[in-house]
Amino acid sequence: MDDGGTTWSDIAGWYDELVERGSGPHETALATLLALVPPVEGRAVLDVGCGTGLATRALAAAGATVTGTDASPAMLDRARAHGATTPYVLDDARTLAAFGTATVDGVTCQLALMDIPDLDAALASIHRVLRPGGWFAFVIAHPCFLGPGAGPTTLADGRRAVAVPAYLDERFWRSANPQGVRRAGQHHRTLATYLNALVAAGFALEEVVEPRASALLAEQQPVYAEVSIVLAARVRRA
């Protein structure tokens, strides 16, 4: 969404350095994604919203013939700077115009689906590029715990929890934290919206994961030892 605020290209360098230093949320998300995808060795995989290429590189290391795509030129520059031979293509997830119909075995999207303004268009494009029977695996910021106004709190008995004051308010929002990843914004959608959109796009649900925090995430953000920071799923194209 172009509201004149911070963009992903604006923070690409900072974001890349954050992830490379060691980020509990990204470590947890990547491990969840890799556990969720089917065997990828020798398979053609498209990593949508690849950002700086963290998941793209991991999929390539697992043997996939993988291409990363993102709408941010600066993010792709950072991905290419990591030196891998993996191709990276500038494209809009809502169209995936650079990719042919029924050309890949699997699609991944790690921590980016909530950044795309038109969810239905993105899912339609992903469905189009998949071969019949192909799979789509994604990880998103958990919509039940990461949304407008949500934040850590402490219960009367001292336990950590997350206050969620506006879960049903679907809208674009930005974190007020000047050093937060989500200052670039994201589109908050309910869990029902995501599930219904997947069904409408022609996908069948196979598995859903709400992972426990990695040790690093629990250390960096202790509240996410109590609730899941991400939601992940794998679906299948008919």
Side-chain angles (χ1 to χ4, degrees):
M1 179 176 179
D2 185 8
D3 61 357
T6 300
T7 68
W8 286 105
S9 285
D10 292 336
I11 65 171
W14 171 88
Y15 179 82
D16 194 26
E17 292 170 7
L18 171 76
V19 173
E20 292 303 308
R21 283 198 308 268
S23 166
H26 294 86
E27 178 183 84
T28 300
L30 181 60
T32 302
L33 180 73
L34 294 179
L36 193 60
V37 299
V40 297
E41 186 171 2
R43 299 295 185 179
V45 177
L46 179 62
D47 188 25
V48 173
C50 68
T52 59
L54 179 67
T56 319
R57 296 190 297 275
L59 290 162
T65 301
V66 59
T67 300
T69 182
D70 201 280
S72 166
M75 284 285 189
L76 293 180
D77 286 345
R78 299 297 295 201
R80 296 182 183 110
H82 285 281
T85 57
T86 300
Y88 291 99
V89 177
L90 183 69
D91 204 351
D92 189 328
R94 294 170 291 186
T95 60
L96 296 178
F99 303 94
T101 297
T103 52
V104 298
D105 301 302
V107 174
T108 56
C109 185
Q110 177 175 280
L111 297 180
L113 202 58
M114 65 278 186
D115 301 331
I116 301 167
D118 190 335
L119 176 64
D120 293 334
L123 293 178
S125 293
I126 290 167
H127 189 278
R128 178 184 62 78
V129 301
L130 280 169
R131 297 184 175 115
W135 52 266
F136 170 42
F138 64 89
V139 183
I140 56 174
H142 203 305
C144 295
F145 307 117
L146 284 169
T153 188
T154 303
L155 302 179
D157 62 5
R159 289 180 299 163
R160 296 184 179 93
V162 175
V164 186
Y167 173 70
L168 295 175
D169 181 13
E170 294 196 342
R171 63 180 177 87
F172 181 80
W173 67 283
R174 294 180 182 274
S175 169
N177 180 357
Q179 290 300 311
V181 171
R182 290 294 145 195
R183 69 184 187 270
Q186 74 176 54
H187 295 269
H188 172 66
R189 304 176 178 107
T190 65
L191 180 57
T193 292
Y194 279 109
L195 293 177
N196 288 328
L198 287 163
V199 171
F203 289 107
L205 184 64
E206 290 192 331
E207 186 174 355
V208 177
V209 180
E210 294 175 296
R212 292 188 177 275
S214 68
L216 180 60
L217 174 57
E219 176 187 347
Q220 292 177 339
Q221 300 184 56
V223 71
Y224 292 112
E226 306 297 332
V227 300
S228 187
I229 195 171
V230 296
L231 174 74
R234 186 183 67 250
V235 297
R236 186 78 58 172
R237 182 196 189 282

